[in-house]
Amino acid sequence: MRVTHYDRQASVFVVEELEPFEGWEGGSFHVWLSDGTCDCGLFQSLHYLCRHTLAGCATASIEWVSYVHLVYKQEAVFKVYEMEFSPIPDESLWVELNRTMLRPNPVMRRKVTRRPVSTRF
């Protein structure tokens, strides 16, 4: 992977894939840092930097941490656990579940190779 074009004022990269990688065909991808988008679609859908964005930031010596969404930062994770969870004190207040319980049949279990499980010792 290499960066072929870079516009510092517009923060736009053109990153070229040299080899296919995990289903990605070779080609070029445009990365717009100011908009938080990439042609691959991962940057805008996950709000986390894709490999093309990281390659562009590394080439231009840009600190990539500022482009990570706030949800992925450590402070956001810690805020989830700030509030205490109070348990329900009395079991009579618990909601009763009226669902059918499904249990798998171990006889029908098969291996990944689609062969039945051997019962021989």
Side-chain angles (χ1 to χ4, degrees), residues 56-97:
C57 289
T59 301
S61 299
I62 296 175
E63 188 66 33
W64 58 269
V65 178
S66 60
Y67 295 100
V68 176
H69 197 272
L70 296 174
V71 173
Y72 295 108
K73 298 207 175 179
Q74 202 171 28
E75 296 85 23
V77 174
F78 288 151
K79 281 187 180 181
V80 171
Y81 298 102
E82 280 181 356
M83 192 174 86
E84 290 185 21
F85 298 98
S86 56
I88 300 174
D90 188 14
E91 286 189 34
S92 64
L93 299 174
W94 292 10
V95 178
E96 185 176 331
L97 293 176

Side-chain angles (χ1 to χ4, degrees), residues 108-121:
M108 296 180 70
R109 182 175 179 197
R110 293 184 178 264
K111 289 185 178 181
V112 179
T113 59
R114 299 289 180 210
R115 294 185 179 186
V117 177
S118 176
T119 57
R120 298 177 76 185
F121 290 104

